[in-house]
Amino acid sequence: LDVEIKEDLGIFNPFKEQLCRIQEGLKKAVAQEVKSERTKSELITNVSHDLKTPLTSIIGYIDLLKKEDMSPEAQDYVNVISQKSEHLKEMIQDLFEISKATSGNAELVLEKLDMVKLLQQTLGDMEDRISSSGRIIRTVLPEEPLYISGDGKRLYRVYQNLMENALKYSMEGTRIYVEGRVEEQKVITEIKNIAAYEMDFTADKIVERFQRGDVNRTTEGHGLGLAIAKSFSEACGGHLDIIIDGDMFKAVISYPLYWEN
């Protein structure tokens, strides 16, 4: 990482050695950060993989316990353990998927996708969940297709997570807006809602792993929803922006517009 500035710096020539040191320090810092991120991703991937085997055994034994003759109270305990185990299984799988996506090792199946249909399908599949939430969904989608190149399975998960996030944390009785449009040769999708709590976090912080918007909530969320949305959308060439405007929470994802070869 030796750095040498060969060009003439004019009046800054006396400071050439100091500038070289600063540049070298920056290069080392960047290299160390890249190595650190790679190490963290590898650690999470390995730990997630190692946890799968014992957890599978635990779930298997729980299924056997359910078949045993036991008191109603004991059956309730087993049901709770079963629910928590399944939740842990989903969490481990999510961590595994995030690590693969951020490390570039995710096996993507890229295809021509219509974002209008993808959003409509996601909302249709979540109809029961939306109905039970009491929230009103407003869609602002064009009649013509919005084509991008992406992995349909993973992008479906992106919008499922964003909608689940909006349903969980939006104020009761308010509307959730789902929009799609084209701007400057990019397909823009936007999901926005009014938060039911004061958002005392930054947009960058909330998309980190295990970050939850309302830390006082007792729901089953594990703080990976937005991290998954960010990782999967970026793996498909998109970019997720979180915008906080007063009590308004916006998740905006942009993708390059698909062009036929």
Side-chain angles (χ1 to χ4, degrees):
L1 289 174
D2 291 337
V3 177
E4 181 181 357
I5 301 177
K6 297 180 179 180
E7 63 269 25
D8 184 11
L9 299 180
I11 62 173
F12 293 103
N13 275 324
F15 305 101
K16 186 178 288 188
E17 184 179 348
Q18 289 92 329
L19 290 172
C20 284
R21 290 177 181 173
I22 293 172
Q23 191 172 356
E24 183 177 357
L26 286 172
K27 283 195 172 185
K28 286 182 177 179
V30 170
Q32 185 63 37
E33 181 63 21
V34 170
K35 181 180 179 181
S36 175
E37 285 299 317
R38 187 182 300 116
T39 301
K40 284 191 288 185
S41 292
E42 290 175 354
L43 175 62
I44 291 173
T45 300
N46 292 335
V47 170
S48 299
H49 186 271
D50 290 342
L51 286 174
K52 283 183 178 180
T53 301
L55 183 58
T56 300
S57 297
I58 291 172
I59 293 174
Y61 281 116
I62 291 172
D63 289 339
L64 291 175
L65 275 175
K66 287 180 178 180
K67 299 176 182 178
E68 294 294 324
D69 185 17
M70 60 183 74
S71 68
E73 185 179 32
Q75 187 66 53
D76 288 341
Y77 292 150
V78 171
N79 289 336
V80 170
I81 295 172
S82 178
Q83 292 171 6
K84 299 298 183 182
S85 298
E86 289 296 335
H87 182 62
L88 181 57
K89 180 181 177 181
E90 293 174 4
M91 183 174 166
I92 291 172
Q93 184 60 36
D94 286 346
L95 273 174
F96 188 67
E97 291 291 340
I98 291 175
S99 297
K100 286 199 298 183
T102 54
S103 64
N105 295 324
E107 297 177 0
L108 302 176
V109 180
L110 298 179
E111 56 185 330
K112 181 181 177 181
L113 293 176
D114 177 7
M115 288 305 301
V116 175
K117 287 186 177 179
L118 181 64
L119 290 169
Q120 291 172 337
Q121 179 187 350
T122 305
L123 294 175
D125 292 346
M126 298 182 69
E127 186 175 352
D128 290 343
R129 173 71 180 87
I130 292 170
S131 178
S132 63
S133 74
R135 306 298 187 268
I136 300 169
I137 308 298
R138 290 283 184 263
T139 58
V140 183
L141 300 171
E143 293 184 3
E144 66 275 9
L146 297 176
Y147 288 121
I148 69 163
S149 177
D151 185 311
K153 181 178 179 181
R154 284 179 168 81
L155 291 185
Y156 176 89
R157 182 72 187 282
V158 166
Y159 291 100
Q160 187 181 52
N161 282 6
L162 292 178
M163 280 303 303
E164 190 64 39
N165 189 74
L167 293 171
K168 278 183 182 178
Y169 300 119
S170 59
M171 183 178 292
E172 188 175 349
T174 58
R175 287 172 287 278
I176 297 171
Y177 286 84
V178 180
E179 302 181 16
R181 60 187 183 274
V182 174
E183 287 183 5
E184 300 178 350
Q185 304 304 311
K186 290 185 177 181
V187 173
I188 309 295
T189 61
E190 183 175 306
I191 296 177
K192 57 186 178 182
N193 64 273
I194 299 295
Y197 58 96
E198 185 174 356
M199 294 182 286
D200 57 349
F201 51 80
T202 64
D204 291 335
K205 190 70 174 176
I206 197 59
V207 294
E208 293 180 3
R209 297 166 190 167
F210 300 111
Q211 291 296 323
R212 301 179 65 188
D214 187 355
V215 296
N216 295 318
R217 287 186 65 94
T218 57
T219 56
E220 288 293 320
H222 46 50
L224 291 175
L226 289 179
I228 290 172
K230 181 176 186 296
S231 298
F232 285 4
S233 57
E234 289 181 352
C236 293
H239 181 75
L240 170 65
D241 285 310
I242 299 298
I243 301 172
I244 299 170
D245 184 4
D247 290 332
M248 178 74 74
F249 184 93
K250 299 180 185 179
V252 183
I253 308 181
S254 59
Y255 306 92
L257 187 63
Y258 179 88
W259 291 97
E260 296 282 1
N261 293 328

